[in-house]
Amino acid sequence: MLTAIRKFRSSTEHLTALHPEFLLLCLLAKSYKTGHSILEEEIFEVDQPNDLFLYCYYGGMICNGQKHFQKALELLHNVVTAPMFAVNAIAVEAYKKYILVSLILHGQFSTSLPKYSSSAAQRNLRSLCQQLYFDMENSYSNGKFGDLETYVQSNKEREHDNNLGLVKQVVSSLYKQNIKRLTQTYLTLSLQDIANTVQLSSVREAEMHVLQMIQDGEIYAAINQKDGMVRFLEDPEQYKTIEMIERIDSSIQRLMIPSKKITLMDELMSCDPLYLSKGSRERQKFDFDDYDSVPQRFNV
């Protein structure tokens, strides 16, 4: 299937009807790494809108399976905010996962969609999504692990969307979010206090969570093994090393590619006969004689 994709597409930027089928096969086979290989390619050409919805939806699920939540959130965001005249089932399911991944990654979720989302999505997505997802977000924002776990257990039977695995990861991510909140309040704190505040079962478990978050770059801290104290630090990055400058330059270069493509598309559209004829018809609807003329001089 992957060989067929490479032969049928006109370029690496072209999304074919085989892309979502390939990702679905990878999901069913739990071969997430294989599926992730085509998700790293930038897509700018789409034949059918439905292919884009499925590609981003399945791609988001594959990234969730690999715990690449940032990429998963980006793909699910594309589904939710893509142009649509009417909300489809793919967008609704993606929206549910979008809520859960947002909680895992950022610890919060905004119910309002961006302005560039379709009016159909802004009006209907929330009402078509089960209320239990928004209630869970409210329980999550309280920061109380016991309340969130109780809510999930009591509503487990109502969850029929095969998102239980993500829900469990949301619950476990609350520990990390609560530790992050502590870094905004305290400079030093004992592991015992962290365990008590975050509702962890032992000091050892608190230490493992802090060490993992330090390793992942989620917090900056140092643990004193003698007295069991944790000292929270500022971000050591000064953004002036050669490596950081190269990363910033690489990001700028990557962003310039879609910018140039958008400019080219705008130029092509401005020369398109169909677009120009439609624009001229729209202008004819207005009778500019009905408006007052602009005065030549103003008396101040």
Side-chain angles (χ1 to χ4, degrees), residues 8-66:
F8 281 126
R9 64 186 180 184
S10 57
S11 68
T12 57
E13 301 174 350
H14 180 207
L15 180 68
T16 70
L18 294 178
H19 277 77
E21 298 295 333
F22 170 72
L23 293 178
L24 178 58
L25 281 177
C26 293
L27 278 171
L28 295 174
K30 292 184 169 26
S31 181
Y32 303 137
K33 187 175 180 180
T34 306
H36 196 270
S37 62
I38 65 169
L39 293 173
E40 296 173 349
E41 299 168 347
E42 299 287 348
I43 298 295
F44 294 104
E45 300 176 27
V46 180
D47 293 334
Q48 296 294 330
N50 196 56
D51 294 337
L52 177 65
F53 282 107
L54 289 173
Y55 170 82
C56 292
Y57 178 67
Y58 292 148
M61 293 176 67
I62 283 176
C63 291
N64 284 335
Q66 291 188 298

Side-chain angles (χ1 to χ4, degrees), residues 36-205:
H36 196 270
S37 62
I38 65 169
L39 293 173
E40 296 173 349
E41 299 168 347
E42 299 287 348
I43 298 295
F44 294 104
E45 300 176 27
V46 180
D47 293 334
Q48 296 294 330
N50 196 56
D51 294 337
L52 177 65
F53 282 107
L54 289 173
Y55 170 82
C56 292
Y57 178 67
Y58 292 148
M61 293 176 67
I62 283 176
C63 291
N64 284 335
Q66 291 188 298
K67 298 188 184 300
H68 294 165
F69 294 119
Q70 184 64 54
K71 182 66 175 178
L73 191 66
E74 176 187 330
L75 290 166
L76 295 171
H77 178 87
N78 290 341
V79 180
V80 172
T81 60
M84 62 183 90
F85 294 108
V87 175
N88 55 59
I90 306 170
V92 174
E93 294 305 312
Y95 189 58
K96 296 172 184 177
K97 290 178 171 57
Y98 181 69
I99 295 173
L100 299 176
V101 177
S102 295
L103 292 176
I104 294 171
L105 195 61
H106 301 303
Q108 59 185 359
F109 169 74
S110 175
T111 55
S112 59
L113 293 174
K115 291 183 178 179
Y116 51 81
S117 306
S118 67
S119 57
Q122 295 187 35
R123 286 195 310 266
N124 302 315
L125 264 184
R126 182 182 173 90
S127 61
L128 292 172
C129 186
Q130 289 174 287
Q131 184 60 35
L132 65 89
Y133 287 93
F134 302 103
D135 293 340
M136 184 169 60
E137 192 272 334
N138 293 331
S139 299
Y140 191 98
S141 61
N142 293 333
K144 296 180 180 179
F145 180 82
D147 292 348
L148 178 62
E149 191 172 38
T150 301
Y151 178 82
V152 170
Q153 291 298 327
S154 60
N155 290 276
K156 186 185 296 185
E157 300 301 324
R158 295 173 57 197
E159 207 287 314
H160 305 294
D161 304 317
N162 296 321
N163 288 329
L164 190 58
L166 269 181
V167 170
K168 290 179 179 179
Q169 292 185 71
V170 169
V171 174
S172 62
S173 72
L174 185 59
Y175 290 127
K176 291 186 176 182
Q177 295 299 334
N178 285 339
I179 292 174
K180 284 183 181 179
R181 293 188 183 105
L182 294 177
T183 65
Q184 300 170 5
T185 308
Y186 300 96
L187 292 176
T188 57
L189 202 63
S190 68
L191 287 170
Q192 183 63 60
D193 288 336
I194 291 176
N196 294 337
T197 305
V198 181
Q199 298 180 336
L200 290 166
S201 58
S202 65
V203 172
R204 177 61 179 168
E205 193 175 355

